[in-house]
Structures are given as C-alpha cells and as structure tokens.
Amino acid sequence: MTKAPPPSEDLIRHLSEFDLKVGELALALREMVLEELPAASERIFRAYALVFWYSLSGKMADAFCTIVVNRAHVNLMFNRGAELQDPAGLLVGSGKIIRHLKVKRPEDLKLPHLRKFIRAAIKHSRAIAAARPKDPLTRSRVRATAKRRTVK
C-alpha cells in the first residue's frame, strides 16, 4: 500500500486548535483515505468544523469522501453515501445523499468497514465519472450580451 504524503504545515496548524486525540484521529483517517487512493485531490477548509475532502477530479461536487473534524470526534462522510451498499446499516444519516461514520476513539480506526466504505465510495465515484459525457476538446461558449444603446 502506498504511504500517504505528510500533512502540510497549514493542516497541522488548523488541527492544533483541537484536542490532540481528535487531531490524531483526523490524521489517521486522512492517511487511510490517501492509502486507498494516493492520486486523490485533497482540499482543506475551515467552516463550522475543519473539513478535508477528497475527489478524483479536484472538484468538490465530485468528492467521494470528506473528513469532518469536530470538537470531540471526527466524521468520515460519504458524499453519495445513500447510494452505497450498507446491509448492516452502519452508515449514519437520513438525508437523500450524504451518510457518515463517527470515529470517536483510536479503536474505531481498526474497524474493517471504514476501509470497505472508502473503497466502495471510490469505486462509485469512478463509475459516476465514467458515465458522465466526455467534454469535447474545443468549446465555444457565448455569453448573453446587453443590447447596444444607440446614441442620438
């Protein structure tokens, strides 16, 4: 398995605002995701929580999973989790699309379903991308223009 790249100084700085144990959970999940897909685009931003999202295309709309760092725990969120197979009902959430798993303790990182869902989300994301119509190499876009005023 490919080793994940080390976290950036900015990421470490943001994580320093959280309890050390929560930061360690977030970094361990980050490593797990990047081991499963080293070529993933990683984006980090601060909103109501510290968020790292991962996609194949670099676009947030195409993210297959997101790590959400909260004050007391970390969520591993699957952006299209409602579309993933979950016969044991492990994924949390009742919305139309998003589901997540809570990671509260280091022992939770050893649960085999974490990697199973990460792999399933990657596979699902690839299938969606493959089904998407390919853009032509050359594009022309015409934007609407305002009517010209005639000077009298």
Side-chain angles (χ1 to χ4, degrees), residues 5-132:
S8 68
E9 288 182 29
D10 280 339
L11 176 54
I12 297 298
R13 184 174 38 77
H14 282 297
L15 284 172
S16 71
E17 299 171 21
F18 295 87
D19 181 84
L20 180 62
K21 292 180 193 279
V22 172
E24 288 173 346
L25 291 174
L27 289 175
L29 278 176
R30 176 189 180 271
E31 188 171 334
M32 191 180 293
V33 169
L34 292 174
E35 283 174 354
E36 294 300 330
L37 188 63
S41 293
E42 176 182 51
R43 301 291 187 269
I44 300 161
F45 68 93
R46 181 71 193 224
Y48 66 92
L50 182 60
V51 178
F52 332 150
W53 57 263
Y54 300 89
S55 83
L56 301 169
S57 69
K59 295 178 183 176
M60 187 174 191
D62 294 335
F64 58 88
C65 77
T66 305
I67 296 170
V68 182
V69 186
N70 296 292
R71 195 173 48 85
H73 68 279
V74 179
N75 285 339
L76 178 59
M77 187 173 79
F78 299 98
N79 296 37
R80 298 183 75 105
E83 298 169 5
L84 299 177
Q85 294 293 316
D86 183 18
L90 299 171
L91 293 172
V92 178
S94 59
K96 290 182 181 179
I97 300 173
I98 297 172
R99 298 287 185 274
H100 71 276
L101 298 167
K102 287 190 185 322
V103 179
K104 296 180 178 181
R105 303 165 301 151
E107 301 81 48
D108 294 344
L109 295 166
K110 295 176 184 171
L111 297 170
H113 65 265
L114 288 177
R115 283 191 190 270
K116 175 188 150 237
F117 280 115
I118 292 168
R119 289 179 190 133
I122 292 167
K123 183 178 179 182
H124 188 60
S125 184
R126 284 185 171 142
I128 290 169
R132 193 176 289 143

